[in-house]
Amino acid sequence: MPTDSPLLAPQLDLGPILDVDLVRYERNLLRIGFFAAQSEDRKGPPPYKRTIEATFSNHAGQRILSAIEFESTCGLPSTSDRDKYMAFMKIADEQRDATGVITNPIRFTGYRLLQELGLSDAGQNYEDINAWGERMAKTTITSRQVIYIPRSKRYANRTVHVFEGFERVGEVGDRKTSEVYQVVLSDWLLDNLNADYAIAEDFTAYKSLERDTAKGLFPLLHWWFASTGCQEFQKDYGDLCKLLGIKEYKYLSEIKRTMGKAFDELIGLGYLSAWNIRYKDALHITSYKVVLLPGRELMTRLAKQLPKLSERAVDALPESSAGELVEEDPLTVETENKQAMENLKAAGISAKASAELLKKHGAPKIVDVAEYVSSLKAADPKLRIRNIAGLLIHYLREDIPLPATFLTSRERRAIQARNLAEQGEREEAASREKAFFQWRDQKIESEIAARYPGEALTQKLQEIVAAESKVNIYFERADAALRLVLARQVLAHAIRESMAAEWLQEWRSQRQQYEMF
C-alpha cells in the first residue's frame, strides 16, 4: 500500500491517552446553541430550519440583536449528534496532544467512536455515524457578528458550516471490519480550536447524564459559572428554551415538572447545588428567570483550569443536596396562593380539594383558568353553565389550553409593564446618544485647536470660504461674519468624518461592558 494512503495517516485512531477525559467545546457552538437539547425531530418536508433571536455583546462592547438560523436538508443537530461530536472532539484532541495542532482531515474508525460512546458495533450504529456526519456537514449557520474568530479578531462569514466535509474513506481489518471516516473541519472552527477558544469539559461526567435537557445544560454550566466566578447565575427562561431548542412552558408548575428534572440530575452529578425558577420581576409576571447555584464538583474542576477561581471560593460552596431549591420570594408566593385559593372558594370548591389543586397545578395557572371560566359564565345569558366548579376542575385536570385571544389579567399587566420598560429603554438610548454627541463635539473642538492653533485657524477658515464661495450659493449670499461661521461648520464636519471610526472605537472602549448574552 502506498505510504501516502489515507489509511496510514497518523491521525487515524491514536490510542487513548490515560486519564484524559476532558473534551474541548468550541465557544461559538456553545453560545449559539448549535445542538438542540432534544431528540431529532423531522416533522414536515425538508429543508429543516431553527431560528434563535437573541441579544449578544460583541467584542467591541456593542449589544446587538441577531437572528441565528440553522438549516439542513437531512435534519438538524440534536442530543445524539452532540454525543458523537464530543466523542469526535476527544479523538481530535488526542491528535493535538500528540502533534501540537489539529490539522485537516481528521480520520477515525467508526469502531473507535462507538467505543468512546459506550455503544456496540451493531450495523445500525454505523449507519447513525454516517447520518451524523452528513447532518453536520449539511447544516448551515447564518448569523451576523456572532461567530467570532479571536486569532484574526474578526467575525466569520454570514453563512458557515461546522464540517466542511465528511466522507467514508475505506475499511480496515481488526477483529471485525470497521468503517473509516474522514472529517474536514471548517477553517473558522479549526482556527478557534487551535487557538484554544474553547471550554474543557469532563466527557465521562457528560456521558453519565440521561436527560436531553441536562446534556444541553451541561456545557453551558461551565461557561456561566466560569464567567461569574462561583456566583449565582440567572437566565431568562424563554431565552434559555430557545438556546436549548426545547418547548417553552407557560406555567411555573409545568416548568418545574420538566426542566426541574434536568436540574435535579445535574445536582446529583455535583454540577449544581441548588436551582429555582422565579418571576423575572414584579412587572413581568408572565415570564420567568432561572436561578442557579454552582455545584462543588463542577467548580472544583473549573478551579484547576482557571486561576481566577480560588480554592476559597470553591470551599464556600454549599454541599450538594438533590432537590434543594433556592429560596423563593415568600411575599409573591403567598399573594399568589391566597388569590388562587380565593378563586377556588368563590367557585364553590372545598378547602381540601382547593389545596390539592393548588399543589398540583400551581397558583398562576389556577388564577388564569378561574378568570377564563368566570368570563365564560359572565357571557352566558341563558345560564347554560351551572356547574362552575366542575368546569374549572375539568380545565385544570385535562390541561386544556386557554384561547390565544383571551388575555388574562396577568398577561395584560405584563404587556403594560413591557411597554413601560420599552419606553424606558428608548429614553435611555436617547440619553446615551445625546451623551455621545456632546462628547464628540468636545473632541472636534479639541482637534481643531490642536490642528490649527492661533492664526492658523483664521487662515484655514478663509481658505474654506474662498473654496466654498465658488460652488456654494449660501456662502455667496452670506455676509463676512456668517461665512466664517459656515466655514467652521464645514471644517468641523470634515474632521468628524475623518475621525468617526477612531472616535467610535474610543467611546466604546471607555464604556465597554462584558456580558455573556
Side-chain angles (χ1 to χ4, degrees):
M1 185 178 293
T3 56
D4 59 351
S5 168
L7 297 183
L8 294 182
Q11 298 101 316
L12 180 60
D13 274 7
L14 295 170
I17 297 177
L18 295 178
D19 299 325
V20 174
D21 58 1
L22 294 180
V23 171
R24 294 182 308 138
Y25 204 118
E26 200 275 335
R27 291 175 180 263
N28 286 301
L29 295 183
L30 179 61
R31 71 198 296 260
I32 67 175
F34 179 72
F35 297 100
Q38 61 182 6
S39 300
E40 185 179 350
D41 185 5
R42 294 188 180 182
K43 295 180 181 179
Y48 303 97
K49 292 184 179 181
R50 174 175 163 236
T51 302
I52 300 175
E53 288 188 358
T55 301
F56 293 88
S57 287
N58 65 17
H59 286 259
Q62 294 174 294
R63 296 274 291 173
I64 59 170
L65 177 63
S66 183
I68 307 165
E69 183 179 272
F70 308 108
E71 182 175 353
S72 174
T73 58
C74 56
L76 295 174
S78 60
T79 299
S80 62
D81 297 307
R82 185 195 290 109
D83 295 347
K84 295 180 180 64
Y85 174 76
M86 292 184 71
F88 163 75
M89 280 310 307
K90 182 173 182 182
I91 297 172
D93 280 342
E94 287 172 2
Q95 178 198 132
R96 179 173 179 257
D97 291 338
T99 64
V101 67
I102 299 176
T103 58
N104 279 326
I106 301 169
R107 299 181 181 89
F108 60 94
T109 65
Y111 181 72
R112 172 67 195 287
L113 193 74
L114 295 176
Q115 269 190 319
E116 293 293 347
L117 293 169
L119 300 175
S120 71
D121 59 351
Q124 182 57 49
N125 287 334
Y126 285 102
E127 291 301 321
D128 290 344
I129 293 176
N130 279 316
W132 161 73
E134 183 179 4
R135 199 154 38 246
M136 294 290 291
K138 289 188 176 181
T139 299
T140 60
I141 306 171
T142 304
S143 63
R144 180 179 64 87
Q145 287 192 314
V146 174
I147 303 295
Y148 184 67
I149 305 174
R151 180 174 289 177
S152 59
K153 296 183 179 180
R154 63 180 178 84
Y155 289 89
N157 295 331
R158 186 172 178 83
T159 299
V160 298
H161 292 81
V162 176
F163 288 1
E164 200 62 41
F166 175 86
E167 62 178 325
R168 174 179 175 275
V169 296
E171 298 178 351
V172 295
D174 195 356
R175 293 182 180 179
K176 295 182 179 180
T177 298
S178 177
E179 292 186 336
V180 179
Y181 303 93
Q182 175 173 290
V183 168
V184 177
L185 294 176
S186 291
D187 290 343
W188 69 269
L189 180 59
L190 190 65
D191 285 346
N192 284 3
L193 290 172
N194 284 325
D196 212 20
Y197 190 64
I199 293 177
E201 301 172 8
D202 184 351
F203 189 35
T204 301
Y206 172 85
K207 289 188 291 184
S208 71
L209 296 171
E210 296 181 357
R211 296 184 179 277
D212 291 343
T213 302
K215 286 188 172 183
L217 289 165
F218 182 86
L220 291 170
L221 296 181
H222 292 72
W223 181 22
W224 292 340
F225 290 126
S227 300
T228 63
C230 296
Q231 301 302 308
E232 176 187 282
F233 178 79
Q234 299 184 8
K235 178 68 177 171
D236 178 89
Y237 167 70
D239 290 345
L240 179 56
C241 288
K242 293 175 184 176
L243 187 66
L244 295 173
I246 60 177
K247 179 181 178 180
E248 179 180 354
Y249 288 93
K250 184 176 181 180
Y251 295 105
L252 190 60
S253 58
E254 296 172 327
I255 299 171
K256 290 187 175 181
R257 189 175 67 247
T258 52
M259 186 173 284
K261 293 180 180 179
F263 291 144
D264 286 343
E265 188 175 6
L266 290 163
I267 284 179
L269 192 64
Y271 275 54
L272 287 179
S273 61
W275 64 271
N276 195 11
I277 301 171
R278 303 171 178 166
Y279 291 134
K280 288 185 67 175
D281 52 55
L283 298 179
H284 293 77
I285 58 173
T286 59
S287 54
Y288 304 94
K289 62 182 178 182
V290 173
V291 183
L292 304 174
L293 287 180
R296 183 178 297 274
E297 180 67 23
L298 171 61
M299 298 315 294
T300 298
R301 291 184 178 277
L302 286 178
K304 296 177 181 178
Q305 305 172 37
L306 304 172
K308 68 178 181 179
L309 299 181
S310 65
E311 293 183 2
R312 181 179 301 176
V314 176
D315 291 339
L317 289 171
E319 294 292 342
S320 296
S321 176
E324 179 185 356
L325 300 181
V326 181
E327 184 180 1
E328 299 186 62
D329 181 352
L331 181 60
T332 301
V333 175
E334 181 181 351
T335 302
E336 288 182 339
N337 289 345
K338 183 178 179 180
Q339 182 180 355
M341 292 296 285
E342 289 177 352
N343 288 348
L344 293 172
K345 180 180 178 181
I349 301 174
S350 69
K352 181 178 180 180
S354 296
E356 292 177 355
L357 290 171
L358 180 62
K359 182 178 180 181
K360 183 175 182 180
H361 300 288
K365 186 172 184 178
I366 290 175
V367 171
D368 286 356
V369 172
E371 186 176 333
Y372 175 66
V373 170
S374 296
S375 72
L376 293 179
K377 178 68 174 178
D380 181 29
K382 296 183 179 181
L383 302 178
R384 291 172 297 184
I385 301 176
R386 298 181 180 179
N387 186 1
I388 191 74
L391 183 60
L392 197 160
I393 293 174
H394 173 70
Y395 265 85
L396 289 173
R397 288 180 175 173
E398 298 300 322
D399 196 22
I400 299 175
L402 303 184
T405 54
F406 179 77
L407 285 179
T408 66
S409 297
R410 295 190 324 122
E411 289 172 331
R412 287 194 294 270
R413 290 195 297 271
I415 291 172
Q416 181 181 10
R418 283 195 293 270
N419 290 339
L420 290 173
E422 290 173 358
Q423 179 181 349
E425 290 174 358
R426 288 193 296 269
E427 292 175 353
E428 183 181 354
S431 176
R432 289 197 302 267
E433 187 177 78
K434 180 179 179 181
F436 170 72
F437 288 153
Q438 291 175 342
W439 176 85
R440 188 185 63 183
D441 289 345
Q442 293 175 358
K443 297 290 287 187
I444 290 173
E445 292 303 315
S446 298
E447 192 69 19
I448 290 176
R451 293 187 186 186
Y452 307 104
E455 291 299 320
L457 177 59
T458 302
Q459 182 179 350
K460 180 62 178 180
L461 293 179
Q462 292 293 351
E463 292 175 0
I464 294 175
V465 168
E468 291 292 330
S469 296
K470 298 177 182 179
V471 296
N472 192 326
I473 191 173
Y474 296 105
F475 272 81
E476 184 179 350
R477 294 177 179 179
D479 58 29
L482 182 56
R483 286 179 181 179
L484 290 177
V485 172
L486 294 176
R488 189 180 180 91
Q489 292 176 356
V490 171
L491 177 61
H493 176 76
I495 291 176
R496 183 173 70 241
E497 290 298 305
S498 66
M499 301 294 291
E502 180 179 334
W503 284 348
L504 185 58
Q505 184 64 32
E506 180 181 347
W507 171 266
R508 289 172 180 165
S509 64
Q510 290 176 1
R511 290 152 183 82
Q512 192 171 33
Q513 295 181 357
Y514 295 95
E515 301 180 40
M516 283 177 288
F517 293 100

